Each structure stands twice: as structure tokens, then as C-alpha cells.
Amino acid sequence: MSKSLDTSTSEAEQTVTDVVDGIAATTPDVRRAIADHRGQSNSVNPTGDDQLAADLRADELFERRLLDIDGVATYASEERADVKATDGRLHVAMDPLDGSSNLEPNSGMGTIFGVYSERPPTVGTNLLAAGFVVYGPITSMVVARKGRVHEYIVEDGDKRVVDDDVTVPDDPTVFGFGGGVDSWTEEFESYAEEIRHELKLRYGGAMVADINQVLTYGGVFSYPELESRPEGKLRVQFEGHPMAYIVESAGGRSSDGNRSLLEVDPDALHERTPLYLGNDDLVDRLEASID
Ligand code: AHG
Ligand code: MN
Ligand code: MN
């Protein structure tokens, strides 16, 4: 068990900066992988999802870049069964390519990452920073650290800040719910029925792009528990924790249906969770309705 790390040190801060800059520097190669590696890979990831060649290529690119950083001790991703270790102090967990089912129709995709003080599987409150990249018409990056959320445009791997205090707008506008109405529980369905009369539907099949809509316009995103799948679809360590850290740092709320997703302490690296994120009152209402 690594001795607990004084994560306020400038060394830890420098490592977080190096991870963020390393991910930004890798984005041109990931965009090339999206263009050149469009086929299936005939393999599945540890949660049983088919892997595209681009999923594997992005995973390789990030592992190489991030394990090269002095302060990074381990690299974990949804594409690989085990954590890869080297010396260092901080731990990076990634969804190298989020929304890869959007690759064929060339719709939005992204990368999600979290920087933890402890080796995964670990609780979300051990996050020191988290962020995502959106491979859209332009490449943008959102990074949450020390209670603030910054947005960057990334060109040729270099980032420049466009907003240094991203906050969830008070008046919500959009919603996006995964899973499909026939698979929802009755409680979630009645919540969704209320919301769809209040907000505009924005669901694109990649949580990174859908949550970026919530950060931009206010609202709520969910991949809820399903009748057939009470644990939902999304992964705690690679999607739930990082996105919860970002949305909560931007003044919103996260929930697994009962509490902040950051309180979820997974036993296994590839555990799934129901996920609800967005304006605090919309998440409060969700928790009240599925109680
Ligand atoms: P990934 O491509 O990393 O597996 O993630 C896809 C996730 C998430 O990004 C998105 O919100 C959800 O799957 C979409 O699921 P459906 O295709 O079932 O709507
Ligand atoms: Mn994903
Ligand atoms: Mn993925």
C-alpha cells in the first residue's frame, strides 16, 4: 500500500500538468487513428464491449505517452484488464476513445481521464484532477483541477485556454438519457416524462459530447439503471468518477441514484454504475423520484 501522498505538493501539481499536456499532445495522433483505424478488432474489452481498432490504437498511444511521465506510477483503461505499473506517484485511469460507436457515422467522440492519488480500483474522492477531450469540428479539452474547470482549444497538440471558469448555467436547457425508454425502470421513466416536457433532447451516443452540452447549456445527462441491468452501462473508474469530478467542480451534481458518484468505491477495476449528472436541482429531483 503506497504511503499516502501529500498531493498538495508542487511535484503532484507538476505531474497533473504533465498528464494534461501529454494528453493534449496525443490528440493529433488519436484523430489520425480515428481516420485510419476504422475497423473492428475482433476482440472485446474487459466489460465485454466490442473493441474497434481505433480503441486499441488510442489506448496504446496514451499508455506510451503517460507512462513516460516521471510522476505517473500506473496507467489503467477500460480497454485493458490490468493496471500497468512503473515508478512514480500518481495514477491515470482513462477511457481512451469514448463513443466509438460514433466512429462509422463520424459523429462526436472523445477521451476521458482521471488522475488519482491512489492506485485503481479506488474511490472517486481520490481524484486530483479529471478531464475530457472532444474530437468534434475542432478538438477541445475540458480540465477540472483544484475546484475550477478550464476549457481549451487544442491545435496540433498545443492547448490554449478559451474559458478559465466553466460553470453549469443556472437555467437548464438540454437533456440526454441513454438506454432507451423500454429498458428504463418505472421510476426513471416517470422522471424522464417530466423532463422531456421541460428541456430539449440532446443525446448523441458519446457521453463526452453530451455532457459537454450540459456544461455549455445546463441540463441533465444520464445512463440510468435499467430493468435488465441495475448496474447500468457506464464504468465507474473510467467514465463515472472523472465526469462527476468535472460536473461537480463546475457547480453541478452527480449521482449513482443515491449519492455523489465520487463516493462510489469500486471493488473491481471495471465495475459499472448508473450515472446521473447535471444541474443540482435536476439531480436532486432524480434521486427523489427513484428512491
Ligand atoms: P465507449 O464508446 O467508451 O464504450 O462509451 C460509449 C458510452 C457512452 O459514451 C455513451 O453515452 C453510451 O455508451 C452510449 O450507449 P448507447 O449506444 O447504448 O446509447
Ligand atoms: Mn466511454
Ligand atoms: Mn471507450
Side-chain angles (χ1 to χ4, degrees), residues 33-231:
I34 291 169
D36 300 347
H37 298 68
R38 300 177 62 77
Q40 290 291 337
S41 71
N42 303 323
S43 57
V44 291
N45 70 15
T47 31
D49 301 337
D50 289 340
Q51 288 174 310
L52 296 187
D55 285 317
L56 296 176
R57 177 75 180 128
D59 186 38
E60 211 179 282
L61 289 165
F62 286 119
E63 181 221 341
R64 199 176 311 148
R65 173 86 65 168
L66 298 176
L67 283 183
D68 223 13
I69 296 171
D70 279 351
V72 172
T74 65
Y75 174 86
S77 90
E78 69 172 26
E79 301 306 342
R80 56 183 65 210
D82 305 313
V83 175
K84 190 96 182 271
T86 177
D87 339 338
R89 307 292 292 277
L90 301 185
H91 306 268
V92 181
M94 294 195 76
D95 177 356
L97 197 58
D98 175 64
S100 40
S101 59
N102 281 350
L103 191 146
E104 230 172 303
N106 191 31
S107 299
M109 278 173 279
T111 290
I112 306 170
F113 68 94
V115 184
Y116 293 86
S117 60
E118 296 298 332
R119 180 177 170 135
T122 186
V123 65
T125 45
N126 281 335
L127 273 170
L128 296 177
F132 62 77
V133 176
V134 181
Y135 305 102
I138 57 168
T139 304
S140 65
M141 195 168 181
V142 167
V143 178
R145 56 192 294 190
K146 299 172 85 168
R148 266 176 97 101
V149 183
H150 310 264
E151 184 184 20
Y152 304 91
I153 287 184
V154 183
E155 285 166 318
D156 303 329
D158 293 321
K159 67 185 203 307
R160 59 185 165 83
V161 66
V162 289
D163 186 344
D164 68 1
D165 189 13
V166 177
T167 52
V168 179
D170 292 337
D171 298 328
T173 310
V174 299
F175 77 96
F177 297 150
V181 57
D182 294 340
S183 58
W184 292 338
T185 60
E186 242 172 72
E187 298 79 2
F188 186 76
E189 194 172 339
S190 67
Y191 171 77
E193 186 55 22
E194 274 175 40
I195 294 294
R196 80 181 181 88
H197 290 290
E198 297 170 24
L199 304 177
K200 281 195 291 191
L201 174 59
R202 285 289 182 277
Y203 185 80
M207 75 184 294
V208 168
D210 294 340
I211 290 172
N212 210 25
Q213 292 256 6
V214 168
L215 285 173
T216 309
Y217 297 120
V220 55
F221 173 83
S222 170
Y223 207 107
E225 65 170 331
L226 304 177
E227 284 290 1
S228 60
R229 209 183 191 178
E231 74 281 9

